[in-house]
Amino acid sequence: MSDIPFTLDQLRILKAIAAEGSFKRAADTLYVSQPAVSLQVQNLEKQLNVPLFDRGGRKAQLTEAGYLLLSYGEKIITLCQETCRAIEDLQNLQGGTLIVGASQTTGTYLLPRMIGVFRQKYPDVTVQLQVHSTRRTSWGVANGQVDLAIIGGEVPPELQETLKIIPYAEDELALILPVFHPLAKVDTIQKEDLYKLKFITLDSQSTIRKVIDKVLSRCDIDTKRLKVEMELNSIEAIKNAVQAGLGAAFVSVTAIEKELQMGVLHIAPIRDVEVRRTLSVAINPNRYRSKAAEAFIREVLPQFSSHPEYLNIERLSHDSEHYKEVAANGAGG
């Protein structure tokens, strides 16, 4: 194969079909006709001389060759996007894009404020916020699809050598009660009081629930003895349920600032117990970092950091010379 036997459009189509599971849904997401998608796939298979989809089932299923091409295709598309963003940087923040990732709580309650500060200074930069699990967000940073992320869970072990994880802020996990609960009238509660409460939590498989359980265990609180009355699928639903008197819950203090100001929820301090977790900044030192990302790190992150060991911004700025060298020599994966 002396000539490259595929185009970027064909790789995008392949990626869309794999994500959507059908030619028709892929065509809809790409705003093209289904026959056009089918023709591109047929041409691609003809150019490669190998079938990319098993057409025997109802769902578009990739063959082994299809999975291989998809794997490399995603890397090619990411590098192309990186290239475009590097060229956009020549406009010196008079445009361009900043992509920030976050896990659920930080993405819902902390990042919007940080992005607001950034947008006031750089209104011409397009900012994308991607809120997913810590695992998915970490992979986004590793693959170059996300510039940087603020996460509250554990980075997958296979990425811990790839990413630089910087302790950033201490996040207090508060025990919240309805304001009319009997324990809301005492200054502090005892650890044993926890086992008498009815708790409202996230689903046991959710990342945030696992993080909270792990933090509670470190504080010598036996999570197996906590009576879980109800499992809900969002922090907002949990806050509303507690407010309505359906139980107690542990949530991040950043998630209840508005409710505390309104006086509709009560934080119950636990004697001799501080339930905290560390939020971290995740970056990929082997990827090109845009001027927009540099500005966000240099000018916004320090305003919201509360971790005593937070890596000072000077070291991060010094690292930027390395990123420029990486970009000049070709960004790695």
Side-chain angles (χ1 to χ4, degrees):
M1 296 180 185
S2 57
D3 295 326
I4 297 176
F6 50 77
T7 66
L8 281 176
D9 281 340
Q10 288 172 330
L11 293 181
R12 289 194 188 97
I13 288 171
L14 180 73
K15 183 178 178 181
I17 296 172
E20 298 296 332
S22 83
F23 282 50
K24 183 181 185 306
R25 287 198 296 271
D28 291 341
T29 61
L30 295 171
Y31 301 103
V32 297
S33 67
Q34 183 175 342
V37 166
S38 299
L39 181 61
Q40 286 279 27
V41 172
Q42 290 171 14
N43 289 339
L44 181 57
E45 290 177 322
K46 184 177 180 181
Q47 289 157 205
L48 293 170
N49 194 29
V50 64
L52 299 173
F53 290 94
D54 180 358
R55 291 170 171 80
R58 295 180 61 185
K59 185 177 179 180
Q61 185 69 40
L62 288 167
T63 63
E64 185 177 358
Y67 277 114
L68 183 64
L69 181 60
L70 176 64
S71 174
Y72 281 98
E74 288 178 331
K75 294 177 183 177
I76 291 168
I77 292 170
T78 297
L79 281 174
C80 289
Q81 292 169 339
E82 230 173 74
T83 302
C84 293
R85 292 172 61 200
I87 292 172
E88 285 177 346
D89 267 354
L90 297 177
Q91 300 176 26
N92 195 27
L93 289 177
Q94 299 303 309
T97 304
L98 169 68
I99 305 176
V100 183
S103 47
Q104 293 291 336
T105 303
T106 54
T108 303
Y109 302 102
L110 176 61
L111 261 300
R113 283 184 286 163
M114 300 175 77
I115 291 171
V117 171
F118 181 80
R119 289 278 296 161
Q120 285 181 357
K121 189 163 186 180
Y122 302 106
D124 296 325
V125 175
T126 300
V127 181
Q128 296 179 20
L129 173 59
Q130 298 186 5
V131 181
H132 299 294
S133 66
T134 293
R135 180 178 184 82
R136 184 171 171 183
T137 299
S138 298
W139 273 105
V141 177
N143 293 333
Q145 297 165 336
V146 176
D147 290 313
L148 69 144
I150 299 180
I151 53 178
E154 291 187 3
V155 172
E158 61 268 29
L159 295 181
Q160 290 180 1
E161 292 186 6
T162 302
L163 302 180
K164 178 177 284 187
I165 308 301
I166 308 160
Y168 178 67
E170 289 294 306
D171 181 30
E172 180 184 355
L173 298 172
L175 173 66
I176 57 172
L177 297 171
V179 292
F180 49 81
H181 194 282
L183 289 179
K185 298 179 175 62
V186 301
D187 293 335
T188 59
I189 69 171
Q190 304 297 321
K191 195 181 297 185
E192 285 299 317
D193 290 329
L194 296 175
Y195 306 125
K196 303 171 187 176
L197 296 171
K198 296 178 180 179
F199 276 90
I200 303 168
T201 69
L202 291 168
D203 179 85
S204 60
Q205 297 305 309
S206 75
T207 301
I208 304 174
R209 168 78 177 275
K210 291 177 181 177
V211 169
I212 291 175
D213 284 353
K214 188 171 290 187
V215 173
L216 292 176
S217 296
R218 286 203 299 263
C219 295
D220 295 324
I221 295 171
D222 186 353
T223 56
K224 293 181 180 178
R225 290 179 60 191
L226 299 180
K227 299 173 185 175
V228 178
E229 185 79 4
M230 191 182 305
E231 291 185 348
L232 301 176
N233 64 358
S234 75
I235 300 295
E236 288 298 308
I238 288 175
K239 292 192 298 182
N240 290 333
V242 174
Q243 187 177 329
L246 300 180
F250 281 100
V251 299
S252 169
V253 169
T254 60
I256 55 172
E257 290 182 357
K258 181 177 68 175
E259 286 78 10
L260 293 178
Q261 290 173 358
M262 295 171 61
V264 296
L265 285 176
H266 173 76
I267 289 183
I270 307 169
R271 185 182 298 276
D272 299 325
V273 174
E274 282 192 355
V275 185
R276 295 178 179 271
R277 63 170 178 165
T278 300
L279 302 180
S280 300
V281 174
I283 58 175
N284 187 341
N286 296 314
R287 287 282 182 184
Y288 173 79
R289 197 155 68 205
S290 68
K291 288 183 179 178
E294 287 285 350
F296 190 85
I297 289 170
R298 185 177 60 252
E299 301 172 29
V300 178
L301 287 186
Q303 296 185 42
F304 294 83
S305 174
S306 61
H307 196 283
E309 299 179 16
Y310 176 60
L311 190 63
N312 67 67
I313 232 55
E314 284 302 313
R315 272 184 65 184
L316 280 174
S317 297
H318 291 163
D319 282 350
S320 66
E321 295 304 317
H322 167 68
Y323 299 124
K324 291 173 184 175
E325 183 180 338
V326 168
N329 295 325

